[in-house]
Amino acid sequence: MGNSLKAIVAFVPSNKCQKYLLEDLEEMPVDKMVDLSGRQLRRLPLHICSFRELVKLYLSDNNLNHLPPELEQLQNLQILALDFNNFKALPLVVCTLKQLCILYLGNNKLCSLPLELRLLQNLKTLWIESNCLQYLPEVVCELSLLKTLHAGSNALRALPAQLQCLQELRTIWLSGNLLSEFPPVLLDMPFLEVIDVDRNSIRFFPSLAHLPGLKLVIYDHNPCRNAPKVAKGVRRVGRWSEETPEPRKRSGAVVEITLNEKPLLPPASKTEPE
């Protein structure tokens, strides 16, 4: 079915048209996964909510801006992808899915997250990139099992001190924000393995050599005058990284060394629980 025809049919709310979009998905698949990405959906067909053993539900790249309360029936759901839709607020029904391990909310229009998000205590991966967040919602700091946080391409200027409570956090992606300084809270998180602050406005980097778990720091595309110092074996991606010496000082002036910039993107594919 062509995308143009799907787009036309998507405007018709009848059950017959909605089933046409689903291509006759009547029974729950054996692999307990439903992928409705890119179907031009404007509402989630209710019969999907009857698949109570469903583990993975992908709704990426549609025209959704709300979800039905019947979604609460999917209490075995572990992965939910809502990225590339039109959500201005996270539907509260999502916060009732307490087995969720991975939640993709990127590329929507979210300005905040509800306090009810704290109910998702099994959440290990949260993607909230490319939204309208001017601050990192403090409720994120209550997700005690969180391992990966992707908050890039928002309008963040700082991080809350409570973030250091996330002792399971290993990877944090903050590229493309409005950080004018390296977030101090990250200096108190020795368990971090990957820190990405690419494409911000950071002019000075403190030493990160005291972070024993650090494996990779990405700091490219910042107006910095120094590279962050790191422990032996830690990979740096940015100006004056391990491949090139830092600029020398001559009579108090900094002589810059121009490098070929190496654009590095956050993970290209969505990951699943280990």
Side-chain angles (χ1 to χ4, degrees):
M1 189 195 320
N3 286 334
S4 57
L5 180 56
K6 284 184 180 181
I8 295 173
V9 174
F11 278 100
V12 183
S14 72
N15 288 332
K16 185 176 181 179
C17 288
Q18 292 301 306
K19 286 183 179 180
Y20 184 56
L21 288 172
L22 297 180
E23 299 176 1
D24 296 324
L25 178 63
E26 296 290 347
E27 299 180 359
M28 188 183 75
V30 176
D31 60 4
K32 300 181 180 181
M33 179 186 78
V34 169
D35 187 352
L36 300 178
S37 300
R39 302 291 184 93
Q40 305 290 331
L41 296 176
R42 295 179 178 274
R43 62 184 177 93
L44 179 65
L46 289 182
H47 81 275
I48 297 298
C49 301
S50 67
F51 299 164
R52 300 197 177 200
E53 299 301 315
L54 200 65
V55 174
K56 305 174 185 178
L57 178 57
Y58 296 93
L59 300 173
S60 307
D61 193 19
N62 281 293
N63 296 304
L64 300 172
N65 57 28
H66 69 282
L67 294 172
E70 289 82 357
L71 190 72
E72 185 178 5
Q73 299 175 34
L74 303 182
Q75 286 300 312
N76 290 301
L77 207 61
Q78 295 181 24
I79 301 176
L80 178 60
L82 299 174
D83 47 334
F84 292 93
N85 276 285
N86 295 315
F87 291 104
K88 294 183 179 179
L90 179 65
L92 292 182
V93 67
V94 172
C95 302
T96 68
L97 306 174
K98 296 183 180 180
Q99 297 304 313
L100 277 183
C101 297
I102 300 179
L103 179 58
Y104 298 110
L105 300 175
N107 290 274
N108 279 286
K109 301 172 183 177
L110 302 174
C111 294
S112 63
L113 294 174
L115 293 177
E116 288 81 357
L117 189 72
R118 61 166 63 107
L119 299 175
L120 301 182
Q121 285 300 309
N122 285 308
L123 207 61
K124 295 182 179 179
T125 298
L126 177 62
W127 285 41
I128 50 176
E129 81 285 0
S130 299
N131 276 286
C132 305
L133 298 171
Q134 296 185 13
Y135 61 91
L136 184 68
E138 293 185 5
V139 67
V140 172
C141 304
E142 299 184 44
L143 303 173
S144 59
L145 295 184
L146 201 64
K147 283 189 171 184
T148 301
L149 176 60
H150 186 356
S153 299
N154 280 286
L156 305 181
R157 296 181 181 274
L159 298 180
Q162 296 93 319
L163 193 68
Q164 65 181 305
C165 296
L166 298 182
Q167 298 192 13
E168 296 298 319
L169 194 64
R170 297 295 180 266
T171 302
I172 186 165
W173 305 90
L174 299 166
S175 61
N177 277 288
L178 300 175
L179 300 172
S180 59
E181 66 173 346
F182 186 83
V185 65
L186 299 184
L187 300 175
D188 296 323
M189 301 178 71
F191 33 80
L192 283 175
E193 296 179 358
V194 177
I195 299 175
D196 176 15
V197 288
D198 182 36
R199 294 185 292 117
N200 277 277
S201 300
I202 301 172
R203 294 187 173 276
F204 174 79
F205 281 94
S207 173
L208 306 180
H210 66 289
L211 299 179
L214 195 61
K215 297 178 181 178
L216 170 65
V217 55
I218 305 167
Y219 63 95
D220 215 1
H221 307 97
N222 279 280
C224 57
R225 291 292 183 266
N226 72 311
K229 296 186 183 302
V230 295
K232 185 177 180 180
V234 178
R235 185 185 174 205
R236 299 182 299 180
V237 176
R239 304 170 78 191
W240 318 303
S241 59
E242 61 267 14
E243 293 88 359
T244 313
E246 294 191 24
R248 301 172 184 172
K249 291 185 178 179
R250 292 181 180 175
S251 302
V254 175
V255 179
E256 296 191 20
I257 298 176
T258 303
L259 301 178
N260 291 325
E261 293 182 334
K262 294 185 282 185
L264 192 84
L265 301 177
S269 61
K270 297 173 182 176
T271 56
E272 299 187 5
E274 298 176 357

